[in-house]
Amino acid sequence: MTSNVAKGTMTVEKKKNKKRSQWAEVWRRLKKNKMAMLGLAILTILVLTAIFADFIADYDNVVIKQDLVNKLQGPSAEHPFGTDEFGRDIFARMIHGARVSLRVGILAVGISIIIGGTLGAIAGYYGGKLDNVIMRVMDIFLAIPSILLAIAIVSALGPSLMNLMIAIGISSVPSYARIVRSSVLSIRDQEFIEAAKAIGANDLRIILKHIIPNALAPVIVQGTLGVAGAILSTAGLSFIGLGIQPPAPEWGAMLATGRPYLRYAWHVTTFPGLAIMITILALNLVGDGLRDALDPRLKQ
């Protein structure tokens, strides 16, 4: 009896060590990709900046308080990125804008993964008519450009932070549903799934404990790239007035309000535009690095 318990304990430990070694191997391969590590470093700085934005710049007194006497000033020691058309510090507004953009991007992708992943797992696991119905509905959504679908949803619900996240999240659901479905189709007929069924595991346990963990790699990669797309969609919707409403700082809205002053106050639009570009570039670099690190075909 003691011998059986010991063997069981050793088996569990081996599984844990194997799981740890797999993620350690992914991290080891990711560290070899210099561009991915550069993107990760940039993202780390952005996340820390967003977390500690209130300590860097006071929201009420610096970010939204107007100072018309000092409007449209160029970069200086007092205002590193200059001031906007209302005399507000652009650097402070960009810091707080990073919090908004990252929050919308991450939560919108979370909504997409939860809804799309659930639908994709159900369609791929059960197949048949249910699969056909779910995927035809996803095809209908895919036929509509995601930005137009997001515009329609925000227009119907009204412009706000929550509605913006819902709109961008729903518009990206079909992509995650198709990715998860394809992964489930390649996994559901494997031997360990048959073994789980043989010992009496129900469908929910099989999907949550066996299928989803083995289908995470492409979802993680797509999710990283999806955050970049969500941030870009947020900036686009805010640029046309359907996103974050003034005076709240958001990079796309800052581009829109600074557009009339582009010829003689270049800094008003240049720095928010650079922030969007650098953030999306960093996310794409990390996404490409994760794709290479998680792809078993690239292992040496």
Side-chain angles (χ1 to χ4, degrees), residues 25 80 101 141 167 205 271:
E25 176 66 15
S101 296
F141 277 93
R205 180 176 179 82
F271 292 113

Side-chain angles (χ1 to χ4, degrees), residues 89-167:
D89 187 81
I90 294 177
F91 176 73
R93 290 179 62 78
M94 284 181 57
I95 290 174
H96 284 267
R99 173 180 290 181
V100 173
S101 296
L102 291 175
R103 183 192 304 170
V104 173
I106 293 171
L107 293 180
V109 169
I111 293 171
S112 302
I113 291 175
I114 292 172
I115 299 176
T118 302
L119 294 175
I122 292 172
Y125 183 76
Y126 291 104
K129 293 182 178 180
L130 184 60
D131 177 25
N132 193 39
V133 170
I134 292 176
M135 297 318 297
R136 295 299 74 77
V137 173
M138 294 299 103
D139 289 340
I140 293 173
F141 277 93
L142 283 173
I144 306 172
S146 59
I147 188 65
L148 291 181
L149 182 59
I151 289 173
I153 295 173
V154 172
S155 299
L157 298 178
S160 69
L161 181 61
M162 180 59 65
N163 293 341
L164 187 63
M165 290 187 290
I166 293 173

Side-chain angles (χ1 to χ4, degrees), residues 123-232:
Y125 183 76
Y126 291 104
K129 293 182 178 180
L130 184 60
D131 177 25
N132 193 39
V133 170
I134 292 176
M135 297 318 297
R136 295 299 74 77
V137 173
M138 294 299 103
D139 289 340
I140 293 173
F141 277 93
L142 283 173
I144 306 172
S146 59
I147 188 65
L148 291 181
L149 182 59
I151 289 173
I153 295 173
V154 172
S155 299
L157 298 178
S160 69
L161 181 61
M162 180 59 65
N163 293 341
L164 187 63
M165 290 187 290
I166 293 173
I168 296 174
I170 292 177
S171 65
S172 302
V173 163
S175 300
Y176 294 94
R178 295 181 72 88
I179 290 172
V180 173
R181 175 182 176 272
S182 63
S183 298
V184 172
L185 287 174
S186 65
I187 294 171
R188 69 176 184 178
D189 294 327
Q190 294 189 14
E191 292 181 356
F192 68 93
I193 300 297
E194 297 296 332
K197 291 180 180 178
I199 62 175
N202 58 38
D203 292 343
L204 181 61
R205 180 176 179 82
I206 291 173
I207 292 174
L208 294 179
K209 297 292 185 180
H210 300 288
I211 292 181
I212 295 298
N214 287 282
L216 278 180
V219 175
I220 292 173
V221 175
Q222 182 62 29
T224 305
L225 299 174
V227 173
I231 290 175
L232 191 59

